[in-house]
Amino acid sequence: MRGVLMCWLAAVTLVVAGVAQAVPEPVPDRVLAAAPAPDGSRVVAATATGPGRVLELTVFSAAMGREITVAVRPAADPDAPAGTLYLLNGVDGGADTANWRSGGNWFTRTDVLELLAAAQATVVMPIGGAGSFYADWQSDDPALGTQRWLTFLTTELPPIIDAAFHGTGRDAVAGVSMSSSAVFRMAQELPQRFRLAGSFSGCVRTSDPAGQAMVSAIVTAHHGDRANLWGAPGDPAWTANDPYLHAERLRGVGLYVSTGNGLPGPLDTLDGPHIGGDPTTLADQLLIGGVLDAITAQCTHQLHTRLTTLAIPATFDFRPTGTHSWGYWQQDLHTFWTQAQHLFPTA
């Protein structure tokens, strides 16, 4: 049944994409001509992918020495100034299939394109980074290669997006699961740019024994070596890159943090989002997704205590039920957007 479901989803996606691409919107000249970042990172290609006015940019990252795919939905008025909402995917980097348009990511699993259709917000979703924690790794990894995602997301990509899409520099960033700690690092690195950070079902604390075990499990699952990330246990890089320990640097940044608790909720049913009536898919969401959000609930309570102790304002949404799944993250996105929309006035 799972195979049938996936084939059906792929077929529908191809049909929709084919219709959207039959009369593609032109790529603005300024996108291809956008000024490069200071280190030489630049747009090397751009195509209209549809649906929803989505452009697919190919951006050369000087820090990583390779090209990165970045999906972009321009603001409602593409000729006027616009802030940017950066969306980071989870453990698979939004590319769990050969074609990200049929994979599990913000653009395919939530209604973000519809939700922000009238907003003066450029929506940017990098593709890739599976198992990387969107961090700058200490060493190149034999399996995962060069990983310099923090540099890419803070110093390379933003000036390119600003140049190509009339960026205002008043941006927000949100991430699910694995990327939740990364959005906090981005905000700590550039609080003057990332005015609001959202963490959905994630563990921000990464250097304590539980955090190191979590990081190690994810890196190993993607055939990487955690020693190439932040070194062996006890290496100062672990604490240096732990947003929980450096929470003081989040003062002044708007914060939204959400999680379920792993108990079955209203979306954990056969007719729930992305279940498609498949008992196997539902069982996976209940079992694996339940365990994961039970863990992230503990992490999130720790973060709540930490920020409360430091008197740093933050909005916490502890859902009374719910698993580690896109249906709940879409709900969280809507709540997050009520805080973010002041940065992105309606066109």
Side-chain angles (χ1 to χ4, degrees), residues 84-133:
T84 303
L85 173 60
Y86 290 87
L87 297 174
L88 302 188
N89 288 300
V91 68
D92 57 19
D96 55 335
T97 64
N99 186 338
W100 67 264
R101 300 174 197 85
S102 60
N105 54 66
W106 285 101
F107 283 11
T108 63
R109 294 292 187 265
T110 76
D111 64 352
V112 63
L113 299 180
E114 293 77 16
L115 178 65
L116 275 63
Q120 196 54 19
T122 302
V123 185
V124 173
M125 181 181 71
I127 304 296
S132 71
F133 282 84

Side-chain angles (χ1 to χ4, degrees), residues 39 41 60-66 136 140 146-149 151-152 155-156:
D39 70 352
S41 299
F60 174 75
S61 165
M64 289 192 270
R66 56 188 169 92
D136 280 0
D140 292 349
T146 301
Q147 305 287 336
R148 300 290 185 274
W149 283 97
T151 295
F152 179 71
T155 67
E156 294 184 332

